[in-house]
Amino acid sequence: MIDPILSIEGLSVEFGASRVVDNLSYSVEAGRTLAIVGESGSGKSVTALSIMRLADMAGARFAGGKILFQSSNGPVDLLALSQDQMRSIRGKEIAMIFQEPMTSLNPVFSIGDQISEALILHERLTGAQALEAAAELLAKVRLPDPKGQLKRYPHQLSGGMRQRVMIAMALACKPKLLIADEPTTALDVTIQAQILAILRDLQKEFGIGVIFITHDMGVVAEMADDVVVMRNGRKVEEGDVRTIFAKPVQPYTKALLAAVPKLGAMQGKDLPLRTPLTAATDDGVTTAAEEERIQDTAREDAAPLLEVRDLVVRFDVKRGLFGGVSHRVHAVEKVGFTIYPGETLALVGESGSGKSTIGRTIQQLQAATSGTISFRGRQLTDLNKAERHALRQKIQYIFQDPFESLDPRKTAGFSIAEPILTHRLMSAADAKRKVHELLERVGLTAAHAGRYPHEFSGGQRQRVCIARALACDPELIVADESLSALDVSIQAQIINLMMDLQAERGLAYLFISHDMAVVEKISHRVAVLYLGQIVELGRRRQVFETPAHSYTKRLLSAVPVADPTVRRDTPVPTGEIPSPLRPVGDEPAIVTMSEIEAGHFVAG
Amino acid sequence: MANATTSGRLNRFKAMEFVVGILLFGTICLAVLFAPLLFPDGGTKIDLAARLTAPFQSFAHVLGTDPLGRDVLARVVTGGKVSLVVGFASVVGSIFVGVAMGLVAGYYRGAWDALLMRFVDVQLALPFILLAITFFAILGGSLINTIVLLIVSQCVQYARLVRGSVLSLREREFILSARAIGVADRNIILRHLLPNLLGPVIVLATLNFANNILLESSLTFLGLGVDPTIPSWGGMLADARTYLQTAWWVSVFPGLAILLTVLGLNLLGDWLRDSLDPTGRTSR
């Protein structure tokens, strides 16, 4: 057994009087990856910030414990160091990568300047030497044309490229320990796969210890050697990654693993399945006393609820002195699909694929450039103003971020009643009763009506948003990444709630998501979008089990599998997601779809 | 994750803010309101024999007298009327005009935005004194005209501030979600946008209140605006400047009156802003 580079012993961290990390111990060895998993509020990020001693600035107090680090000058207790002494360790011996690559680079400095900053500071290189070293680092993180990248600015790079720059910066001074805090959460799956592969290779090359903080069990299975499971600031379980996944001991770990949607879990089933929830209690895992129910709600014999034909949405980009249109973003190009009552159609694709734009156009938040959208057989363009207004009652939208989509200054009750009162569906007193009913329906209580958004947890807020969407009895709900911001256990609850409501009310969903595993669980049919066009459309089983388009295959193979025994050895996809921005006059080629099987259309 | 002790301390601090604010501001307002009863002569009685009496020497002139032997206390209390009326009316007026302009410009963008913002640019580029001289030359000086001038010149500050906030707020998802539901523009503006941008407006308003009391005095000093024979805090400060070294009380007491009024208003403004913000509330 090698000496660990970092060992935490009995660490407790307090903010004011609340203890956010309680008696936590773990250690990291050189060349190994320790994954720290847990849901929001489990204290996993606070631990990382405590190691960096950045938590001090947020007002943390270290109530006890030690963080022993094997620095190049011998072992030190990081908690005993002054901030001045920490500065020579931070960046040089311990480096950190953050979640949001969009905001962790300084927009006014070039990439080269930002990487060489640490080299000049810690390694005492000259400017020219530092730039050369920076170019080498960029080559290591596999950025094309590293020398050319040095002169570029953050806004000229995509999210994945920025995260690679962040990794290059972190590795600049050859640290012994790298802390990665949710480094791929904000990225698309194919880009995530690339970043994970780079991190793995660099770790092998440099022999560094890595602390990998994540909530994604798939990423854990792919990256980790050891796992620490945290909950409410305490360590629940720790062990070798295979043991944790194969034989979890603690009920919480079991529940966490059970809640993870697994790609391929629905193999061989034609229709979505509502599965009972598993929850951790003190004496083990309980599976809720509910039966499995096949979600047989789609009424394809009925007239289509929503029909989209040849939808095109373009945004003009004005550049130059006189503001002439020089480029256009081709967000949506000739997209067509139908949704039947009671059906869930999933739109999947990566960023820039136009999936949210389609949702917004249907909800009349965005004007279409051309094409038709008809609801119950009537074209949107034929409707007068009052009818269009009434349509906003029949189609509801649930946004991605439950923290953002509720007015912070209005109570939950007001937000839920607002659609009812806006469409004058009932009197204020009746609306109040209805609000209470809705709150109870989505698993909250009537007393929650008087609370403000910040007084709810993320999952509760999304329930409020769902209650709001249900308030005026819609027939179609557009759910735009509505589950992406939630923890897996909460996600599982909301999926079940959405499926129950569908069974009860015959709701149709347009489910916009990038998470293939969730899509597999919930949808009847799937449309895969690439650069604003549908490249594959079919029943869920057809698309997931016999994907025909190369992009669909790529997308599916990039999803991390929550099973450490099946690590991918296949080469990860390379290359960036192309941009839908094109010069004026350079129209994209429209793909033609052919039916390869009943109901299964593929671009070819 | 506020815990019991800090939030308790915070709440007590908030309550203190309110109590001190209301005491300061309330006392001054009451005194000014009942000034005609307290000092029927309105501090105009000239007593040359008692000129430049130091304060705290006699019961007749508790805060001393000015170079003409007029009672400083009486003048401070009486002069509050003009100062408070100008301060209040100009700030409230600017808020109404400016916030409405900012909301319309920021929410609807396009032609309205261009038109209103060019007006703002012109207004900010025009020197205040030049505007004031022209304004009073045409319309003549009076209390009302002073207030109108201050509103015209200051509403643009609110318009800019509000427009900026609206531009970022209107892209937030809760505004988008209100639009998705079909809420009318008027209701989005009044129910969702307005409450979310009141905080900075209140801060700007408390700052401007003090500023306007002093601006009124500058105008009076230049012979523009309010009739200089009517006492006002700013006017008293201007008159007393030559006696600053020999008779400090003539300038200090009106200055103190402005300071305490503004302090009280600032405390009240802070308290109002925090109590309008539900996220600041620790328990319900």
Side-chain angles (χ1 to χ4, degrees):
Chain A
M1 174 114 183
I2 339 153
D3 263 354
I5 340 174
L6 182 95
S7 58
I8 295 181
E9 291 167 14
L11 176 73
S12 298
V13 185
E14 290 177 351
F15 281 96
S18 60
R19 184 165 278 211
V20 290
V21 175
D22 190 17
N23 197 16
L24 179 75
S25 306
Y26 61 73
S27 56
V28 195
E29 286 163 31
R32 284 177 79 83
T33 301
L34 172 76
I36 302 181
V37 287
E39 307 203 315
S40 29
S42 61
K44 52 192 197 302
S45 288
V46 173
T47 320
L49 291 174
S50 302
I51 297 171
M52 294 295 273
R53 290 288 301 281
L54 292 167
D56 300 31
M57 294 170 198
R61 217 169 52 80
F62 302 107
K66 278 190 235 172
I67 301 178
L68 293 174
F69 176 65
Q70 299 291 332
S71 77
S72 36
N73 306 323
V76 284
D77 179 6
L78 294 180
L79 291 184
L81 294 185
S82 70
Q83 285 289 341
D84 260 352
Q85 290 166 311
M86 257 328 275
R87 254 194 289 282
S88 65
I89 290 188
R90 244 183 249 145
K92 183 167 166 54
E93 305 209 23
I94 307 177
M96 190 157 175
I97 317 173
F98 297 91
Q99 172 172 1
E100 202 51 78
M102 300 296 165
T103 52
S104 29
L105 286 170
N106 188 335
V108 299
F109 289 108
S110 70
I111 301 301
D113 286 344
Q114 297 196 44
I115 301 177
S116 45
E117 186 184 4
L119 288 166
I120 294 169
L121 193 74
H122 289 300
E123 308 279 318
R124 316 239 167 258
L125 299 184
T126 64
Q129 285 170 329
L131 280 179
E132 205 157 297
E136 275 171 38
L137 283 163
L138 289 180
K140 281 220 159 65
V141 293
R142 297 181 211 150
L143 271 181
D145 182 25
K147 281 231 153 62
Q149 304 286 3
L150 292 176
K151 292 196 189 66
R152 300 178 77 189
Y153 287 85
H155 72 270
Q156 295 169 303
L157 305 182
S158 70
M161 288 162 91
R162 286 185 217 191
Q163 198 59 297
R164 286 192 237 183
V165 171
M166 289 303 296
I167 295 172
M169 280 172 75
L171 296 178
C173 297
K174 304 198 172 50
K176 293 182 163 171
L177 179 67
L178 176 69
I179 303 173
D181 189 356
E182 305 263 8
T184 56
T185 307
L187 303 174
D188 286 314
V189 274
T190 54
I191 303 301
Q192 164 171 299
Q194 290 173 21
I195 298 286
L196 293 180
I198 290 168
L199 272 174
R200 253 198 322 262
D201 293 350
L202 290 177
Q203 185 191 16
K204 250 179 241 156
E205 193 182 327
F206 289 98
I208 47 180
V210 175
I211 297 178
F212 201 100
I213 298 169
T214 182
H215 69 279
D216 185 336
M217 290 310 244
V219 173
V220 173
E222 194 131 307
M223 293 296 289
D225 299 304
D226 306 291
V227 179
V228 168
V229 181
M230 283 185 72
R231 184 193 195 189
N232 297 336
R234 289 165 192 270
K235 180 168 73 183
V236 176
E237 188 165 1
E238 78 176 315
D240 171 54
V241 64
R242 286 166 190 254
T243 325
I244 292 273
F245 274 82
K247 291 192 279 296
V249 178
Q250 295 297 322
Y252 178 68
T253 317
K254 287 181 191 166
L256 197 62
L257 283 168
V260 177
K262 289 175 197 69
L263 193 63
M266 300 286 295
Q267 202 142 18
K269 298 188 181 74
D270 282 323
L271 290 166
L273 194 67
R274 184 202 186 282
T275 47
L277 290 172
T278 45
T281 56
D282 290 332
D283 30 76
V285 177
T286 50
T287 301
E290 302 164 311
E291 53 193 310
E292 282 196 342
R293 188 187 66 231
I294 292 170
Q295 194 76 358
D296 188 13
T297 50
R299 302 211 317 274
E300 287 179 40
D301 48 330
L305 189 64
L306 182 88
E307 261 188 292
V308 177
R309 287 279 156 266
D310 294 331
L311 183 69
V312 177
V313 184
R314 293 174 184 169
F315 303 101
D316 292 344
V317 178
K318 293 191 171 98
R319 278 184 191 164
L321 203 53
F322 300 104
V325 178
S326 64
H327 288 70
R328 284 200 184 98
V329 178
H330 293 253
V332 181
E333 282 292 326
K334 297 267 178 197
V335 161
F337 56 83
T338 47
I339 300 178
Y340 293 94
E343 186 189 38
T344 305
L345 174 74
L347 285 182
V348 296
E350 298 185 277
S351 35
S353 63
K355 54 192 193 304
S356 285
T357 310
I358 295 176
R360 286 178 186 207
T361 313
I362 291 171
Q363 185 61 42
Q364 308 174 63
L365 290 170
Q366 172 67 48
T369 309
S370 68
T372 59
I373 297 172
S374 358
F375 188 79
R376 289 208 170 281
R378 296 197 61 193
Q379 279 192 24
L380 242 59
T381 41
D382 292 345
L383 302 179
N384 62 34
K385 212 176 161 194
E387 287 172 317
R388 296 250 286 257
H389 183 70
L391 195 58
R392 288 197 161 139
Q393 176 194 331
K394 293 290 161 207
I395 306 178
Q396 289 291 326
Y397 206 97
I398 304 176
F399 289 85
Q400 169 170 8
D401 192 345
F403 289 86
E404 261 288 294
S405 54
L406 291 172
D407 188 334
R409 306 218 170 201
K410 301 289 178 199
T411 60
F414 177 93
S415 289
I416 298 171
E418 193 174 29
I420 305 176
L421 299 175
T422 298
H423 293 282
R424 298 206 179 82
L425 297 179
M426 48 183 88
S427 70
D430 287 340
K432 197 171 170 190
R433 240 190 320 275
K434 175 101 178 174
V435 166
H436 292 173
E437 267 172 45
L438 286 165
L439 278 169
E440 271 157 27
R441 181 62 202 90
V442 297
L444 300 170
T445 64
H448 285 107
R451 289 209 198 166
Y452 288 91
H454 71 278
E455 296 170 302
F456 291 102
S457 69
Q460 286 177 323
R461 283 186 195 211
Q462 201 57 298
R463 285 171 193 269
V464 172
C465 291
I466 291 176
R468 185 183 202 204
L470 291 175
C472 42
D473 298 314
E475 292 170 21
L476 172 68
I477 290 183
V478 181
D480 187 355
E481 299 275 10
S482 308
L483 302 174
S484 312
L486 304 176
D487 284 325
V488 279
S489 62
I490 308 294
Q491 209 175 48
Q493 294 169 17
I494 303 286
I495 291 176
N496 278 4
L497 175 63
M498 286 176 72
M499 288 171 108
D500 288 347
L501 293 169
Q502 183 169 54
E504 254 168 54
R505 300 170 181 234
L507 276 173
Y509 292 115
L510 178 64
F511 191 83
I512 298 169
S513 181
H514 69 278
D515 188 336
M516 300 300 276
V518 172
V519 166
E520 191 191 20
K521 199 169 170 196
I522 200 170
S523 50
H524 293 96
R525 285 190 304 143
V526 179
V528 181
L529 278 162
Y530 181 68
L531 281 182
Q533 301 189 36
I534 291 183
V535 293
E536 185 156 359
L537 170 70
R539 293 184 189 290
R540 196 206 71 241
R541 194 172 165 186
Q542 292 167 333
V543 173
F544 277 83
E545 291 178 24
T546 53
H549 195 270
S550 58
Y551 178 70
T552 316
K553 288 178 188 160
R554 225 171 86 187
L555 208 56
L556 285 169
S557 74
V559 178
V561 184
D563 183 354
T565 55
V566 289
R567 286 212 180 160
R568 259 197 307 259
D569 291 318
T570 48
V572 287
T574 51
E576 290 295 315
I577 301 167
S579 158
L581 180 73
R582 309 174 77 98
V584 170
D586 178 19
E587 303 267 314
I590 302 299
V591 297
T592 47
M593 303 283 282
S594 52
E595 189 165 10
I596 55 167
E597 208 183 328
H600 190 180
F601 299 86
V602 178
Chain B
M1 229 176 278
N3 55 72
T5 51
T6 41
S7 74
R9 219 177 300 144
L10 207 71
N11 276 342
R12 234 171 299 141
F13 178 71
K14 282 281 123 202
M16 279 292 285
E17 223 174 42
F18 176 70
V19 169
V20 175
I22 205 85
L23 272 180
L24 278 174
F25 191 64
T27 317
I28 290 166
C29 280
L30 280 179
V32 169
L33 199 66
F34 291 108
L37 292 176
L38 296 168
F39 304 99
D41 66 342
T44 50
K45 206 182 92 195
I46 295 170
D47 179 6
L48 284 174
R51 72 188 288 266
L52 294 178
T53 311
F56 315 120
Q57 305 279 321
S58 71
F59 281 109
H61 306 295
V62 177
L63 297 185
T65 59
D66 72 354
L68 292 174
R70 295 176 295 192
D71 184 43
V72 171
L73 179 64
R75 284 179 67 77
V76 166
V77 172
T78 314
K81 194 181 118 192
V82 170
S83 295
L84 286 182
V85 166
V86 168
F88 246 117
S90 63
V91 164
V92 171
S94 317
I95 289 179
F96 267 99
V97 180
V99 170
M101 276 167 63
L103 282 170
V104 169
Y107 188 74
Y108 291 105
R109 307 293 311 274
W112 276 112
D113 186 25
L115 200 73
L116 287 171
M117 285 305 117
R118 290 305 75 74
F119 169 70
V120 168
D121 290 345
V122 167
Q123 187 56 255
L124 289 174
L126 217 58
F128 175 73
I129 290 297
L130 179 68
L131 179 77
I133 292 172
T134 323
F135 188 85
F136 288 117
I138 297 168
L139 296 173
S142 74
L143 187 65
I144 297 290
N145 284 354
T146 308
I147 292 168
V148 171
L149 172 73
L150 288 174
I151 290 175
V152 169
S153 70
Q154 281 181 348
C155 66
V156 294
Q157 296 179 15
Y158 297 90
R160 285 205 78 131
L161 180 80
V162 167
R163 176 179 173 268
S165 310
V166 172
L167 285 185
S168 68
L169 277 175
R170 71 195 286 272
E171 303 301 329
R172 297 263 304 264
E173 275 187 358
F174 68 88
I175 299 295
L176 214 55
S177 102
R179 277 174 56 204
I181 281 169
V183 180
D185 284 349
R186 191 176 50 104
N187 286 342
I188 289 183
I189 290 174
L190 294 180
R191 288 196 201 143
H192 294 292
L193 287 175
L194 194 58
N196 277 292
L197 46 78
L198 274 185
V201 168
I202 291 172
V203 173
L204 183 63
T206 46
L207 293 176
N208 269 349
F209 187 87
N211 199 26
N212 289 1
I213 291 178
L214 296 174
L215 270 180
E216 180 272 323
S217 71
S218 323
L219 290 172
T220 310
F221 178 66
L222 289 173
L224 307 162
V226 188
D227 179 359
T229 56
I230 303 174
S232 76
W233 291 339
M236 291 171 74
L237 273 181
D239 291 343
R241 78 195 182 290
T242 43
Y243 298 93
L244 207 54
Q245 287 176 339
T246 49
W248 54 269
W249 56 90
V250 187
S251 50
V252 162
F253 291 114
L256 211 57
I258 297 177
L259 187 134
L260 292 178
T261 310
V262 172
L263 180 65
L265 263 179
N266 267 316
L267 290 172
L268 283 181
D270 270 6
W271 170 83
L272 182 67
R273 187 194 57 199
D274 292 341
S275 52
L276 284 176
D277 184 0
T279 52
R281 290 182 200 168
T282 44
S283 61
R284 277 192 67 80

